[in-house]
Amino acid sequence: FALAGRNVGFAMGTATIIATWITANTILTAPEQAFTKGVFGIIGYALVGASVIFFAPLAQRIKDVMPKGVTSGEFFKLRYGQRTWGIYFILSLAYLFAFLVTQSMGAGLVLEAVFGIPYQVGMVTITLVCVAYTMMGGLRSVIAMDFINTILIMASLVVVVPIALAKVGLSEVYKGIMANAPDRMSLALPIGLVFVFSAPVFAVGEVFHSNLWWL
């Protein structure tokens, strides 16, 4: 129930990875990083995806070492003992709670911007809906929703981006940046340089310990 019978096909598995990575946080944060940190904001946020690639070969090793394992906590208990696992569990719980809250906040903001639904109502509603279908359907229901989300994400990339570029044009975007925030195009922007090196490191820590990826 929690692992969808350990039988997730390639298409569904790929879709759930895409939808898990491209979340409400990404929809809001990626443009923000580009707006505040310029060129390196874009590059830095793109590089965080490398952590998923790095995790792939480790996933096979985890399966070999813990054939019946489920979570990163189980690995820590096996490798470092009960006491270390307890500390890790508390830290992971705090991280996961913060992660879920930001996801709900992101969904609330998007629903308010797109459909005019009050932020608090959207945040609570989306949380209750997600909890309901997860409790009733387990990981299989989550993967099914991820598959639908991935189709919508890909459709938006194929349809929305070309329409936006056709209406505005890259040259107009460039002129607007140079007129209003030329420093965003600088490859020596200090905050951009810090971000491009720190973001991938943070992402590796996030992916390697998060049970979203272990499951």
Side-chain angles (χ1 to χ4, degrees):
F1 183 77
L3 299 174
R6 293 185 183 271
N7 185 26
V8 178
F10 181 78
M12 286 293 188
T14 303
T16 197
I17 288 174
I18 293 172
T20 300
W21 193 251
I22 306 176
T23 62
N25 285 356
T26 303
I27 293 171
L28 298 173
T29 304
E32 180 185 3
Q33 300 304 333
F35 183 76
T36 58
K37 300 177 179 64
V39 175
F40 277 132
I42 300 171
I43 297 173
Y45 206 86
L47 286 176
V48 300
S51 56
V52 180
I53 298 173
F54 295 152
F55 186 74
L58 179 64
Q60 184 59 54
R61 175 63 177 161
I62 292 169
K63 191 174 181 181
D64 293 338
V65 173
M66 298 194 313
K68 296 183 179 181
V70 175
T71 67
S72 56
E74 287 177 296
F75 171 78
F76 266 77
K77 184 185 289 187
L78 179 67
R79 180 69 175 80
Y80 300 107
Q82 184 81 16
R83 182 175 298 178
T84 304
W85 171 82
I87 297 172
Y88 179 80
F89 176 79
I90 294 172
L91 293 173
S92 294
L93 195 64
Y95 161 79
L96 185 59
F97 180 76
F99 181 83
L100 292 175
V101 169
T102 57
Q103 291 293 302
S104 300
M105 291 171 63
L109 289 169
V110 171
L111 289 175
E112 183 178 45
V114 176
F115 300 107
I117 299 172
Y119 165 67
Q120 292 86 349
V121 175
M123 181 179 174
V124 172
T125 301
I126 200 73
T127 301
L128 292 177
V129 169
C130 291
V131 169
Y133 74 69
T134 301
M135 293 297 291
M136 289 187 291
L139 188 63
R140 192 173 297 278
S141 68
V142 176
I143 292 173
M145 288 300 297
D146 282 348
F147 187 79
I148 295 172
N149 290 339
T150 299
I151 293 174
L152 294 175
I153 290 167
M154 293 304 167
S156 69
L157 290 175
V158 173
V159 176
V160 176
V161 174
I163 290 175
L165 291 176
K167 286 184 174 292
V168 180
L170 285 175
S171 61
E172 290 299 315
V173 172
Y174 178 76
K175 290 177 183 177
I177 294 173
M178 295 307 294
N180 297 285
D183 61 313
R184 302 299 194 276
M185 298 299 292
S186 172
L187 296 179
L189 189 66
I191 191 172
L193 290 170
V194 171
F195 182 75
V196 79
F197 287 105
S198 63
V201 175
F202 171 80
V204 167
E206 179 184 7
V207 170
F208 274 53
H209 97 272
S210 175
N211 284 318
L212 289 171
W213 302 99
W214 284 66
L215 290 172

